[in-house]
mmCIF file of all heavy atoms in Angstrom:
data_model
loop_
_atom_site.group_PDB
_atom_site.id
_atom_site.type_symbol
_atom_site.label_atom_id
_atom_site.label_comp_id
_atom_site.label_asym_id
_atom_site.label_seq_id
_atom_site.Cartn_x
_atom_site.Cartn_y
_atom_site.Cartn_z
ATOM 1 N N LEU I 5 -12.930 -2.991 -3.368
ATOM 2 C CA LEU I 5 -13.427 -1.799 -2.683
ATOM 3 C C LEU I 5 -12.778 -0.584 -3.316
ATOM 4 O O LEU I 5 -13.480 0.472 -3.486
ATOM 5 C CB LEU I 5 -12.898 -1.898 -1.240
ATOM 6 C CG LEU I 5 -13.768 -2.807 -0.306
ATOM 7 C CD1 LEU I 5 -13.020 -2.889 0.912
ATOM 8 C CD2 LEU I 5 -15.185 -2.411 -0.217
ATOM 9 N N HIS I 6 -11.553 -0.590 -3.828
ATOM 10 C CA HIS I 6 -10.936 0.479 -4.555
ATOM 11 C C HIS I 6 -11.769 0.727 -5.858
ATOM 12 O O HIS I 6 -12.039 1.942 -6.140
ATOM 13 C CB HIS I 6 -9.455 0.133 -4.883
ATOM 14 C CG HIS I 6 -8.855 1.291 -5.726
ATOM 15 N ND1 HIS I 6 -8.542 2.425 -5.153
ATOM 16 C CD2 HIS I 6 -8.453 1.279 -7.044
ATOM 17 C CE1 HIS I 6 -7.905 3.191 -6.223
ATOM 18 N NE2 HIS I 6 -7.916 2.429 -7.246
ATOM 19 N N GLU I 7 -12.116 -0.223 -6.506
ATOM 20 C CA GLU I 7 -12.854 0.017 -7.961
ATOM 21 C C GLU I 7 -14.223 0.514 -7.587
ATOM 22 O O GLU I 7 -14.801 1.355 -8.383
ATOM 23 C CB GLU I 7 -12.893 -1.297 -8.624
ATOM 24 C CG GLU I 7 -11.482 -1.793 -9.169
ATOM 25 C CD GLU I 7 -11.638 -2.921 -10.138
ATOM 26 O OE1 GLU I 7 -12.736 -3.389 -10.337
ATOM 27 O OE2 GLU I 7 -10.529 -3.521 -10.526
ATOM 28 N N LEU I 8 -14.912 0.013 -6.529
ATOM 29 C CA LEU I 8 -16.223 0.478 -6.172
ATOM 30 C C LEU I 8 -16.108 1.920 -5.728
ATOM 31 O O LEU I 8 -17.077 2.728 -6.030
ATOM 32 C CB LEU I 8 -16.892 -0.381 -5.068
ATOM 33 C CG LEU I 8 -17.282 -1.625 -5.436
ATOM 34 C CD1 LEU I 8 -17.811 -2.415 -4.241
ATOM 35 C CD2 LEU I 8 -18.580 -1.686 -6.330
ATOM 36 N N SER I 9 -15.025 2.343 -5.059
ATOM 37 C CA SER I 9 -14.960 3.749 -4.671
ATOM 38 C C SER I 9 -14.724 4.670 -5.901
ATOM 39 O O SER I 9 -15.324 5.763 -5.773
ATOM 40 C CB SER I 9 -13.568 3.889 -3.721
ATOM 41 O OG SER I 9 -13.672 3.113 -2.579
ATOM 42 N N GLN I 10 -14.108 4.193 -6.947
ATOM 43 C CA GLN I 10 -14.000 5.081 -8.104
ATOM 44 C C GLN I 10 -15.348 5.157 -8.810
ATOM 45 O O GLN I 10 -15.645 6.147 -9.373
ATOM 46 C CB GLN I 10 -12.960 4.475 -9.098
ATOM 47 C CG GLN I 10 -11.455 4.586 -8.442
ATOM 48 C CD GLN I 10 -10.488 4.042 -9.475
ATOM 49 O OE1 GLN I 10 -10.659 3.182 -10.111
ATOM 50 N NE2 GLN I 10 -9.262 4.746 -9.493
ATOM 51 N N LEU I 11 -16.038 3.918 -8.826
ATOM 52 C CA LEU I 11 -17.334 3.927 -9.570
ATOM 53 C C LEU I 11 -18.498 4.699 -8.940
ATOM 54 O O LEU I 11 -19.236 5.480 -9.461
ATOM 55 C CB LEU I 11 -17.735 2.489 -9.719
ATOM 56 C CG LEU I 11 -18.992 2.153 -10.575
ATOM 57 C CD1 LEU I 11 -18.890 2.691 -11.998
ATOM 58 C CD2 LEU I 11 -19.495 0.826 -10.534
ATOM 59 N N LEU I 12 -18.507 4.540 -7.495
ATOM 60 C CA LEU I 12 -19.639 5.232 -6.760
ATOM 61 C C LEU I 12 -19.178 6.320 -5.766
ATOM 62 O O LEU I 12 -20.070 6.581 -4.852
ATOM 63 C CB LEU I 12 -20.435 4.052 -5.980
ATOM 64 C CG LEU I 12 -20.977 2.973 -6.865
ATOM 65 C CD1 LEU I 12 -21.634 1.835 -6.071
ATOM 66 C CD2 LEU I 12 -22.038 3.513 -7.930
ATOM 67 N N ALA I 13 -18.017 6.568 -5.717
ATOM 68 C CA ALA I 13 -17.513 7.662 -4.835
ATOM 69 C C ALA I 13 -17.705 7.270 -3.366
ATOM 70 O O ALA I 13 -18.317 8.104 -2.630
ATOM 71 C CB ALA I 13 -18.049 8.920 -5.188
ATOM 72 N N LEU I 14 -17.425 6.062 -2.895
ATOM 73 C CA LEU I 14 -17.404 5.736 -1.530
ATOM 74 C C LEU I 14 -16.417 6.470 -0.767
ATOM 75 O O LEU I 14 -15.229 6.634 -1.157
ATOM 76 C CB LEU I 14 -17.228 4.154 -1.455
ATOM 77 C CG LEU I 14 -18.046 3.160 -2.073
ATOM 78 C CD1 LEU I 14 -17.528 1.748 -1.784
ATOM 79 C CD2 LEU I 14 -19.449 3.341 -1.645
ATOM 80 N N SER I 15 -16.905 6.979 0.444
ATOM 81 C CA SER I 15 -16.049 7.796 1.336
ATOM 82 C C SER I 15 -15.269 6.711 2.204
ATOM 83 O O SER I 15 -15.585 5.555 2.260
ATOM 84 C CB SER I 15 -16.843 8.653 2.070
ATOM 85 O OG SER I 15 -17.639 7.908 3.137
ATOM 86 N N GLU I 16 -14.131 7.287 2.816
ATOM 87 C CA GLU I 16 -13.335 6.525 3.835
ATOM 88 C C GLU I 16 -14.208 5.994 4.946
ATOM 89 O O GLU I 16 -13.991 4.805 5.394
ATOM 90 C CB GLU I 16 -12.210 7.290 4.286
ATOM 91 C CG GLU I 16 -11.056 7.587 3.339
ATOM 92 C CD GLU I 16 -10.394 6.278 2.882
ATOM 93 O OE1 GLU I 16 -10.217 5.372 3.731
ATOM 94 O OE2 GLU I 16 -10.004 6.300 1.710
ATOM 95 N N GLU I 17 -15.206 6.771 5.294
ATOM 96 C CA GLU I 17 -16.046 6.349 6.394
ATOM 97 C C GLU I 17 -16.860 5.230 5.964
ATOM 98 O O GLU I 17 -17.322 4.361 6.728
ATOM 99 C CB GLU I 17 -16.955 7.572 6.894
ATOM 100 C CG GLU I 17 -16.174 8.612 7.620
ATOM 101 C CD GLU I 17 -17.060 9.723 8.152
ATOM 102 O OE1 GLU I 17 -18.280 9.772 7.801
ATOM 103 O OE2 GLU I 17 -16.609 10.419 9.062
ATOM 104 N N ASP I 18 -17.426 5.247 4.768
ATOM 105 C CA ASP I 18 -18.174 4.095 4.202
ATOM 106 C C ASP I 18 -17.375 2.869 4.221
ATOM 107 O O ASP I 18 -17.884 1.819 4.754
ATOM 108 C CB ASP I 18 -18.554 4.521 2.830
ATOM 109 C CG ASP I 18 -19.678 5.476 2.612
ATOM 110 O OD1 ASP I 18 -20.463 5.743 3.702
ATOM 111 O OD2 ASP I 18 -19.598 6.274 1.654
ATOM 112 N N ILE I 19 -16.152 2.881 3.889
ATOM 113 C CA ILE I 19 -15.341 1.722 3.857
ATOM 114 C C ILE I 19 -15.000 1.191 5.204
ATOM 115 O O ILE I 19 -15.059 -0.010 5.550
ATOM 116 C CB ILE I 19 -14.134 1.991 2.873
ATOM 117 C CG1 ILE I 19 -14.374 2.341 1.460
ATOM 118 C CG2 ILE I 19 -13.150 0.836 3.072
ATOM 119 C CD1 ILE I 19 -13.257 2.752 0.640
ATOM 120 N N GLU I 20 -14.705 2.159 6.167
ATOM 121 C CA GLU I 20 -14.303 1.694 7.572
ATOM 122 C C GLU I 20 -15.563 1.115 8.133
ATOM 123 O O GLU I 20 -15.353 0.181 8.908
ATOM 124 C CB GLU I 20 -13.844 2.926 8.172
ATOM 125 C CG GLU I 20 -12.510 3.449 7.865
ATOM 126 C CD GLU I 20 -11.990 4.667 8.643
ATOM 127 O OE1 GLU I 20 -12.847 5.101 9.542
ATOM 128 O OE2 GLU I 20 -11.107 5.317 8.274
ATOM 129 N N ALA I 21 -16.732 1.723 7.904
ATOM 130 C CA ALA I 21 -17.942 1.142 8.543
ATOM 131 C C ALA I 21 -18.227 -0.256 7.958
ATOM 132 O O ALA I 21 -18.666 -1.124 8.742
ATOM 133 C CB ALA I 21 -19.191 2.103 8.290
ATOM 134 N N PHE I 22 -18.005 -0.382 6.614
ATOM 135 C CA PHE I 22 -18.265 -1.808 5.973
ATOM 136 C C PHE I 22 -17.249 -2.725 6.711
ATOM 137 O O PHE I 22 -17.768 -3.911 7.066
ATOM 138 C CB PHE I 22 -18.083 -1.619 4.617
ATOM 139 C CG PHE I 22 -17.773 -2.998 3.877
ATOM 140 C CD1 PHE I 22 -18.822 -3.872 3.661
ATOM 141 C CD2 PHE I 22 -16.410 -3.397 3.512
ATOM 142 C CE1 PHE I 22 -18.555 -5.162 3.138
ATOM 143 C CE2 PHE I 22 -16.202 -4.515 2.932
ATOM 144 C CZ PHE I 22 -17.213 -5.467 2.713
ATOM 145 N N LYS I 23 -15.993 -2.310 6.881
ATOM 146 C CA LYS I 23 -15.062 -3.375 7.502
ATOM 147 C C LYS I 23 -15.390 -3.755 8.882
ATOM 148 O O LYS I 23 -15.187 -4.919 9.405
ATOM 149 C CB LYS I 23 -13.625 -2.933 7.362
ATOM 150 C CG LYS I 23 -13.186 -2.832 5.898
ATOM 151 C CD LYS I 23 -11.816 -2.318 5.806
ATOM 152 C CE LYS I 23 -11.145 -2.396 4.449
ATOM 153 N NZ LYS I 23 -9.868 -1.887 4.364
ATOM 154 N N GLU I 24 -16.025 -2.879 9.654
ATOM 155 C CA GLU I 24 -16.412 -3.120 10.994
ATOM 156 C C GLU I 24 -17.543 -4.070 10.972
ATOM 157 O O GLU I 24 -17.543 -5.063 11.694
ATOM 158 C CB GLU I 24 -16.828 -1.764 11.627
ATOM 159 C CG GLU I 24 -15.631 -0.821 12.060
ATOM 160 C CD GLU I 24 -16.110 0.411 12.731
ATOM 161 O OE1 GLU I 24 -17.273 0.540 13.101
ATOM 162 O OE2 GLU I 24 -15.270 1.320 12.986
ATOM 163 N N ARG I 25 -18.555 -3.747 10.083
ATOM 164 C CA ARG I 25 -19.650 -4.780 10.008
ATOM 165 C C ARG I 25 -19.189 -6.003 9.497
ATOM 166 O O ARG I 25 -19.756 -7.097 9.918
ATOM 167 C CB ARG I 25 -20.751 -4.144 8.979
ATOM 168 C CG ARG I 25 -21.538 -2.896 9.611
ATOM 169 C CD ARG I 25 -22.719 -2.710 8.674
ATOM 170 N NE ARG I 25 -22.307 -2.005 7.367
ATOM 171 C CZ ARG I 25 -22.076 -0.762 7.222
ATOM 172 N NH1 ARG I 25 -22.225 0.019 8.116
ATOM 173 N NH2 ARG I 25 -21.805 -0.438 5.967
ATOM 174 N N MET I 26 -18.332 -6.105 8.617
ATOM 175 C CA MET I 26 -17.764 -7.413 8.139
ATOM 176 C C MET I 26 -17.167 -8.352 9.257
ATOM 177 O O MET I 26 -17.264 -9.533 9.257
ATOM 178 C CB MET I 26 -16.849 -7.183 7.080
ATOM 179 C CG MET I 26 -16.398 -8.507 6.178
ATOM 180 S SD MET I 26 -15.242 -8.126 4.790
ATOM 181 C CE MET I 26 -13.762 -7.599 5.615
ATOM 182 N N GLN I 27 -16.476 -7.622 10.269
ATOM 183 C CA GLN I 27 -15.883 -8.438 11.361
ATOM 184 C C GLN I 27 -17.006 -8.987 12.143
ATOM 185 O O GLN I 27 -16.641 -10.065 12.849
ATOM 186 C CB GLN I 27 -15.090 -7.349 12.185
ATOM 187 C CG GLN I 27 -13.912 -6.744 11.488
ATOM 188 C CD GLN I 27 -12.855 -7.631 10.982
ATOM 189 O OE1 GLN I 27 -12.685 -8.792 11.610
ATOM 190 N NE2 GLN I 27 -12.396 -7.521 9.820
ATOM 191 N N ARG I 28 -18.159 -8.500 12.193
ATOM 192 C CA ARG I 28 -19.313 -9.115 12.999
ATOM 193 C C ARG I 28 -20.138 -10.092 12.208
ATOM 194 O O ARG I 28 -20.986 -10.700 12.911
ATOM 195 C CB ARG I 28 -20.130 -7.955 13.487
ATOM 196 C CG ARG I 28 -19.390 -7.017 14.335
ATOM 197 C CD ARG I 28 -20.506 -6.006 15.021
ATOM 198 N NE ARG I 28 -21.247 -5.290 14.244
ATOM 199 C CZ ARG I 28 -20.971 -4.018 13.739
ATOM 200 N NH1 ARG I 28 -19.864 -3.455 14.217
ATOM 201 N NH2 ARG I 28 -21.745 -3.389 13.037
ATOM 202 N N GLN I 29 -19.933 -10.208 10.899
ATOM 203 C CA GLN I 29 -20.697 -11.179 10.211
ATOM 204 C C GLN I 29 -19.799 -12.328 9.583
ATOM 205 O O GLN I 29 -18.597 -12.264 9.572
ATOM 206 C CB GLN I 29 -21.317 -10.366 8.994
ATOM 207 C CG GLN I 29 -22.273 -9.345 9.390
ATOM 208 C CD GLN I 29 -23.591 -9.774 9.652
ATOM 209 O OE1 GLN I 29 -23.953 -10.935 9.616
ATOM 210 N NE2 GLN I 29 -24.508 -8.830 9.963
ATOM 211 N N ARG I 30 -20.564 -13.443 9.418
ATOM 212 C CA ARG I 30 -19.905 -14.556 8.756
ATOM 213 C C ARG I 30 -19.544 -14.190 7.226
ATOM 214 O O ARG I 30 -20.286 -13.427 6.565
ATOM 215 C CB ARG I 30 -20.777 -15.898 8.664
ATOM 216 C CG ARG I 30 -21.115 -16.316 10.099
ATOM 217 C CD ARG I 30 -20.020 -16.973 10.701
ATOM 218 N NE ARG I 30 -20.271 -17.549 11.992
ATOM 219 C CZ ARG I 30 -20.797 -18.698 12.248
ATOM 220 N NH1 ARG I 30 -21.089 -19.554 11.242
ATOM 221 N NH2 ARG I 30 -21.000 -19.102 13.407
ATOM 222 N N ARG I 31 -18.462 -14.858 6.628
ATOM 223 C CA ARG I 31 -18.083 -14.387 5.376
ATOM 224 C C ARG I 31 -19.042 -14.645 4.252
ATOM 225 O O ARG I 31 -18.978 -14.087 3.077
ATOM 226 C CB ARG I 31 -16.715 -14.951 5.038
ATOM 227 C CG ARG I 31 -15.668 -14.494 5.947
ATOM 228 C CD ARG I 31 -14.245 -14.869 5.568
ATOM 229 N NE ARG I 31 -13.805 -14.634 4.073
ATOM 230 C CZ ARG I 31 -13.493 -13.354 3.635
ATOM 231 N NH1 ARG I 31 -13.206 -12.480 4.582
ATOM 232 N NH2 ARG I 31 -13.093 -13.049 2.486
ATOM 233 N N PHE I 32 -20.071 -15.549 4.517
ATOM 234 C CA PHE I 32 -20.984 -15.963 3.391
ATOM 235 C C PHE I 32 -22.200 -15.195 3.531
ATOM 236 O O PHE I 32 -23.289 -15.423 3.045
ATOM 237 C CB PHE I 32 -21.263 -17.527 3.467
ATOM 238 C CG PHE I 32 -21.621 -18.086 4.715
ATOM 239 C CD1 PHE I 32 -22.951 -18.121 5.362
ATOM 240 C CD2 PHE I 32 -20.533 -18.595 5.612
ATOM 241 C CE1 PHE I 32 -23.265 -18.569 6.442
ATOM 242 C CE2 PHE I 32 -20.891 -19.187 6.869
ATOM 243 C CZ PHE I 32 -22.227 -19.125 7.283
ATOM 244 N N HIS I 33 -22.399 -14.259 4.558
ATOM 245 C CA HIS I 33 -23.481 -13.403 4.624
ATOM 246 C C HIS I 33 -23.445 -12.056 3.971
ATOM 247 O O HIS I 33 -22.400 -11.581 3.741
ATOM 248 C CB HIS I 33 -23.696 -13.078 6.201
ATOM 249 C CG HIS I 33 -24.309 -14.340 7.028
ATOM 250 N ND1 HIS I 33 -24.251 -14.394 8.341
ATOM 251 C CD2 HIS I 33 -24.936 -15.354 6.522
ATOM 252 C CE1 HIS I 33 -24.865 -15.457 8.782
ATOM 253 N NE2 HIS I 33 -25.164 -16.112 7.603
ATOM 254 N N HIS I 34 -24.500 -11.475 3.660
ATOM 255 C CA HIS I 34 -24.489 -10.209 2.943
ATOM 256 C C HIS I 34 -24.081 -9.123 3.951
ATOM 257 O O HIS I 34 -24.527 -9.082 5.074
ATOM 258 C CB HIS I 34 -25.880 -9.887 2.487
ATOM 259 C CG HIS I 34 -26.228 -10.674 1.255
ATOM 260 N ND1 HIS I 34 -26.265 -10.066 -0.013
ATOM 261 C CD2 HIS I 34 -26.654 -11.976 1.031
ATOM 262 C CE1 HIS I 34 -26.591 -11.080 -1.028
ATOM 263 N NE2 HIS I 34 -26.799 -12.142 -0.332
ATOM 264 N N VAL I 35 -23.163 -8.197 3.597
ATOM 265 C CA VAL I 35 -22.738 -7.086 4.441
ATOM 266 C C VAL I 35 -22.983 -5.881 3.670
ATOM 267 O O VAL I 35 -22.593 -5.661 2.536
ATOM 268 C CB VAL I 35 -21.258 -7.206 4.816
ATOM 269 C CG1 VAL I 35 -20.930 -6.052 5.672
ATOM 270 C CG2 VAL I 35 -20.944 -8.684 5.497
ATOM 271 N N VAL I 36 -23.715 -4.809 4.242
ATOM 272 C CA VAL I 36 -23.916 -3.618 3.597
ATOM 273 C C VAL I 36 -22.658 -2.741 3.545
ATOM 274 O O VAL I 36 -21.891 -2.530 4.414
ATOM 275 C CB VAL I 36 -25.039 -2.813 4.461
ATOM 276 C CG1 VAL I 36 -25.353 -1.503 3.833
ATOM 277 C CG2 VAL I 36 -26.280 -3.597 4.553
ATOM 278 N N ILE I 37 -22.444 -2.297 2.234
ATOM 279 C CA ILE I 37 -21.416 -1.315 2.032
ATOM 280 C C ILE I 37 -21.882 0.051 2.226
ATOM 281 O O ILE I 37 -21.383 0.857 2.837
ATOM 282 C CB ILE I 37 -20.786 -1.564 0.647
ATOM 283 C CG1 ILE I 37 -20.362 -2.995 0.435
ATOM 284 C CG2 ILE I 37 -19.606 -0.493 0.384
ATOM 285 C CD1 ILE I 37 -19.775 -3.245 -0.966
ATOM 286 N N ARG I 38 -23.021 0.404 1.452
ATOM 287 C CA ARG I 38 -23.528 1.772 1.652
ATOM 288 C C ARG I 38 -25.077 1.660 1.445
ATOM 289 O O ARG I 38 -25.505 0.773 0.393
ATOM 290 C CB ARG I 38 -22.909 2.745 0.668
ATOM 291 C CG ARG I 38 -23.096 4.185 1.173
ATOM 292 C CD ARG I 38 -22.518 5.196 0.214
ATOM 293 N NE ARG I 38 -23.405 5.530 -0.842
ATOM 294 C CZ ARG I 38 -23.121 6.166 -1.976
ATOM 295 N NH1 ARG I 38 -21.894 6.611 -2.163
ATOM 296 N NH2 ARG I 38 -24.046 6.421 -2.866
ATOM 297 N N GLN I 39 -25.785 2.451 2.122
ATOM 298 C CA GLN I 39 -27.293 2.457 1.922
ATOM 299 C C GLN I 39 -27.667 3.732 1.106
ATOM 300 O O GLN I 39 -26.815 4.696 0.961
ATOM 301 C CB GLN I 39 -27.940 2.437 3.326
ATOM 302 C CG GLN I 39 -27.773 1.220 4.110
ATOM 303 C CD GLN I 39 -28.450 1.232 5.310
ATOM 304 O OE1 GLN I 39 -28.465 2.260 6.089
ATOM 305 N NE2 GLN I 39 -29.054 0.096 5.790
ATOM 306 N N ARG I 40 -28.926 3.731 0.747
ATOM 307 C CA ARG I 40 -29.535 4.929 0.140
ATOM 308 C C ARG I 40 -28.759 5.339 -1.104
ATOM 309 O O ARG I 40 -28.288 6.456 -1.290
ATOM 310 C CB ARG I 40 -29.607 6.070 1.134
ATOM 311 C CG ARG I 40 -30.573 5.899 2.277
ATOM 312 C CD ARG I 40 -30.757 7.137 2.977
ATOM 313 N NE ARG I 40 -31.850 6.917 4.144
ATOM 314 C CZ ARG I 40 -32.205 7.889 4.993
ATOM 315 N NH1 ARG I 40 -31.797 9.051 4.653
ATOM 316 N NH2 ARG I 40 -33.094 7.663 5.797
ATOM 317 N N LEU I 41 -28.671 4.552 -2.014
ATOM 318 C CA LEU I 41 -27.989 4.713 -3.273
ATOM 319 C C LEU I 41 -29.017 5.489 -4.166
ATOM 320 O O LEU I 41 -30.290 5.301 -4.142
ATOM 321 C CB LEU I 41 -27.633 3.432 -4.081
ATOM 322 C CG LEU I 41 -26.541 2.579 -3.462
ATOM 323 C CD1 LEU I 41 -26.357 1.253 -4.359
ATOM 324 C CD2 LEU I 41 -25.240 3.254 -3.266
ATOM 325 N N THR I 42 -28.468 6.514 -4.899
ATOM 326 C CA THR I 42 -29.480 7.218 -5.832
ATOM 327 C C THR I 42 -29.730 6.387 -7.104
ATOM 328 O O THR I 42 -29.094 5.338 -7.349
ATOM 329 C CB THR I 42 -28.722 8.575 -6.281
ATOM 330 O OG1 THR I 42 -27.578 8.142 -7.076
ATOM 331 C CG2 THR I 42 -28.378 9.388 -5.184
#
């Protein structure tokens, strides 16, 4: 996540939202980190 933040400028809100979604999903499922990439 740290390296992705440097590469794509992920915000703290993006990372927090991802971790919340990850808690609701199985670890072998796809979890969205950020939508609408340029």
Side-chain angles (χ1 to χ4, degrees):
L5 289 173
H6 176 70
E7 293 182 5
L8 285 172
S9 298
Q10 293 182 325
L11 182 66
L12 300 176
L14 299 180
S15 67
E16 288 296 327
E17 288 187 345
D18 290 331
I19 295 175
E20 288 177 10
F22 161 73
K23 290 183 176 179
E24 288 179 8
R25 287 192 290 271
M26 190 174 66
Q27 296 300 320
R28 300 193 297 266
Q29 298 279 3
R30 298 288 183 88
R31 291 186 61 80
F32 52 85
H33 284 163
H34 288 257
V35 183
V36 175
I37 302 174
R38 203 183 85 191
Q39 294 178 324
R40 294 190 176 185
L41 297 180
T42 65

